[in-house]
Every structure is written in structure tokens, then in C-alpha cells.
Amino acid sequence: DTAVSQTPKYLVTQMGNDKSIKCEQNLGHDTMYWYKQDSKKFLKIMFSYNNKELIINETVPNRFSPKSPDKAHLNLHINSLELGDSAVYFCASSRYEGIRQETQYFGPGTRLLVL
Amino acid sequence: EDKVVQSPLSLVVHEGDTVTLNCSYEVTNFRSLLWYKQEKKAPTFLFMLTSSGIEKKSGRLSSILDKKELFSILNITATQTGDSAVYLCAGRSQGNLIFGKGTKLSVKP
């Protein structure tokens, strides 16, 4: 069984459109994340959610909004897509850290291409 | 500002060689350091290091953390072509993970 899954795997769309990427984890983890990997393969964290609360937001434009309907899902909505949004987006999950230190498990990624 | 710096950025070796990948970090409220291997897909977890001086091993891979000098190394012995990948180092603070830019390793037959 896939631990962290994302859909779609590929997404090609026009500038100005609104799109969503879905993420689901079946690990029972409390915290989920979204990362953006740019053309230079550099991973940058965008959001993390713990128990439906946004706990970090790394100065991402407000066109990007995470939505968490429940603990197992964290979807990424992107409004008014721009060319610079083209990248691979990774979802990840981990147990809530607190005083413990937990690793993150990544989904397979969604390759977004904005034309 | 938190940062993680990896070196070298790229490395080409031949099968059977031993390689050492470096990672230095400056992370506020540092908790742990993680190593990932990324091929053409999502990063896969290799090691999580929390204590200084304790080597973690997994087959031909090993890693160690020096919290005093703020760095970690990843060693791969007897490299194989399947080891070709980008190796990512990430420093973890509470609720945050700061990635380095990665070291691209190419292992030639």
C-alpha cells in the first residue's frame, strides 16, 4: 500500500487557471507538508499542517492555499497560475514532532507545467 | 537565516570507489539531520541523525553527525551504478525542514 499518495502525477495547464493537487497519507501521521522543487532540484517547504492547523508558511504567495479536510489529507489549491509555478510539488507526512523527532515520508510528486 | 550547505554539488566516480558527501548546517533550534536519496522521483529516506558521534549504517551507506562543528557526512563504499542519484541533506527544527541543494552523484561502470 502506498503510504503517501498524490494526484495527479502530471498537470499541464494554462496561465491564469486555478488548479488543485491532492495528497493522502495512510500512515496515521498528524503532520503533513507541501514542498516545491524547482528546476534546479532545490526543495523548499511551502506549508505544514498539524491537526488541521497551519503551523508554518514559508512566505508563499497567497495564490497558494492548503486545505485539509481531515488528518489524512492535505490538498494544495493554486489560483491564477503563473509560469513560475512550474515545478514538481511533493507532499510529505510525519508524526507530530513535539519533543520527539520524526522523519518525513514523501509522496511521488506532482509535476506541474504552466504554459 | 537557517541554511544547509552541501558539497560537492556534483561528483563523478567509478564503480567500486568510496565517496564522502558533506553537509554543514545552521539551523535554529536544531533537532536532527536527515539524509535522502532522490533519483527520478520523490526523495527516499536514508538516515536521521540526532546524536553526535554515533554512526548509522545501512549496507554500504553510513552517516555520522558532529553537532559541535555543525556538519554531517554520508559515506558510500563500493559504489554501484544504482547509487547514482541526488543526495539531499536536511536540517530539522521544530515543524520545519531545511534542505540543502543536494549532491549529484554519478557512478560510472
Side-chain angles (χ1 to χ4, degrees):
Chain A
D1 287 342
T2 303
V4 182
S5 60
Q6 294 178 230
T7 55
K9 190 174 180 179
Y10 300 98
L11 183 55
V12 181
T13 188
Q14 300 283 339
M15 279 178 59
N17 284 349
D18 303 336
K19 291 293 179 184
S20 296
I21 307 172
K22 296 185 177 180
C23 178
E24 177 181 3
Q25 55 94 5
N26 61 9
L27 298 168
H29 288 166
D30 290 320
T31 306
M32 295 182 72
Y33 308 82
W34 275 105
Y35 290 85
K36 179 181 180 181
Q37 185 176 48
D38 60 23
S39 58
K40 297 181 180 179
K41 305 295 185 184
F42 187 57
L43 268 172
K44 184 173 182 179
I45 193 164
M46 300 176 71
F47 303 102
S48 69
Y49 252 77
N50 175 35
N51 291 328
K52 295 190 178 183
E53 290 185 50
L54 179 68
I55 56 176
I56 55 172
N57 179 339
E58 294 292 313
T59 64
V60 172
N62 57 16
R63 299 182 295 104
F64 291 80
S65 56
K67 305 287 184 187
S68 181
D70 54 57
K71 198 171 78 167
H73 296 84
L74 182 65
N75 303 323
L76 182 64
H77 297 271
I78 315 170
N79 295 323
S80 303
L81 278 157
E82 300 177 358
L83 293 177
D85 298 333
S86 296
V88 181
Y89 292 83
F90 288 104
C91 176
S93 74
S94 69
R95 290 182 184 274
Y96 179 56
E97 190 172 18
I99 60 172
R100 302 176 63 186
Q101 298 164 61
E102 301 286 349
T103 192
Q104 295 184 5
Y105 295 86
F106 283 81
T110 295
R111 186 175 295 276
L112 171 65
L113 178 61
V114 182
L115 303 175
Chain B
E1 182 182 350
D2 291 343
K3 64 180 179 181
V4 174
V5 179
Q6 292 184 245
S7 63
L9 289 180
S10 65
L11 189 57
V12 180
V13 299
H14 288 93
E15 275 193 313
D17 289 349
T18 293
V19 297
T20 298
L21 309 183
N22 303 297
C23 174
S24 65
Y25 64 91
E26 295 177 25
V27 174
T28 308
N29 298 319
F30 175 80
R31 299 294 184 91
S32 58
L33 189 129
L34 294 91
W35 283 96
Y36 290 89
K37 177 182 180 182
Q38 184 175 26
E39 296 168 270
K40 293 183 179 178
K41 43 190 179 180
T44 54
F45 171 73
L46 294 176
F47 298 108
M48 181 172 72
L49 305 161
T50 57
S51 302
S52 263
I54 299 176
E55 186 182 50
K56 290 205 171 183
K57 289 180 70 70
S58 176
R60 296 176 293 103
L61 277 67
S62 63
S63 185
I64 197 163
L65 176 67
D66 186 328
K67 292 171 77 172
K68 182 179 177 183
E69 299 297 331
L70 306 183
F71 79 88
S72 174
I73 60 172
L74 175 69
N75 280 321
I76 308 175
T77 58
T79 52
Q80 301 171 359
T81 54
D83 295 328
S84 296
V86 174
Y87 290 83
L88 295 166
C89 167
R92 185 175 185 85
S93 60
Q94 184 175 359
N96 199 1
L97 197 63
I98 302 100
F99 281 91
K101 295 188 176 183
T103 293
K104 183 177 181 179
L105 175 65
S106 299
V107 181
K108 304 295 185 184

